[in-house]
Amino acid sequence: MCPSSPTSSNNALSTAVIEAVAKEMDGDPTELPEQLYDVIDSDALDSLFTGGNSMGGTVTFAYCGYTVTATADGDVTLEE
């Protein structure tokens, strides 16, 4: 499992996912083999844990050969 840093308020969760995968693949975020929006609604991902309505939790999905888990705290972990 490869954890990333928690996201800041200026860094959307979808961006954190893309950056974590690119880092793990030792590549550029703009050159990933798959677009995030092809596997998950990135706007929904970003809004899922924002605002005062967040009750915590996680979301897990497959992306670029990894199982990605994103948490309400902004943590992103990858498993091959």
Side-chain angles (χ1 to χ4, degrees), residues 32-69:
L32 293 176
E34 190 172 23
Q35 298 295 320
L36 183 61
Y37 60 75
D38 287 337
V39 298
I40 193 167
D41 183 330
S42 57
D43 290 334
L45 179 63
D46 292 339
S47 65
L48 187 61
F49 300 127
T50 58
N53 298 330
S54 177
M55 295 182 64
T58 63
V59 61
T60 302
F61 56 95
Y63 177 53
C64 291
Y66 295 96
T67 299
V68 178
T69 301

Side-chain angles (χ1 to χ4, degrees), residues 11 13 16-17 29 31 42 47 50 66 71 76:
N11 195 13
L13 192 53
V17 168
E31 297 177 2
S42 57
S47 65
T50 58
Y66 295 96
T71 70
V76 176

Side-chain angles (χ1 to χ4, degrees), residues 11-33:
N11 195 13
L13 192 53
S14 60
T15 302
V17 168
I18 292 167
E19 290 173 350
V21 170
K23 181 178 179 180
E24 187 64 23
M25 295 180 81
D26 197 30
D28 187 285
T30 63
E31 297 177 2
L32 293 176

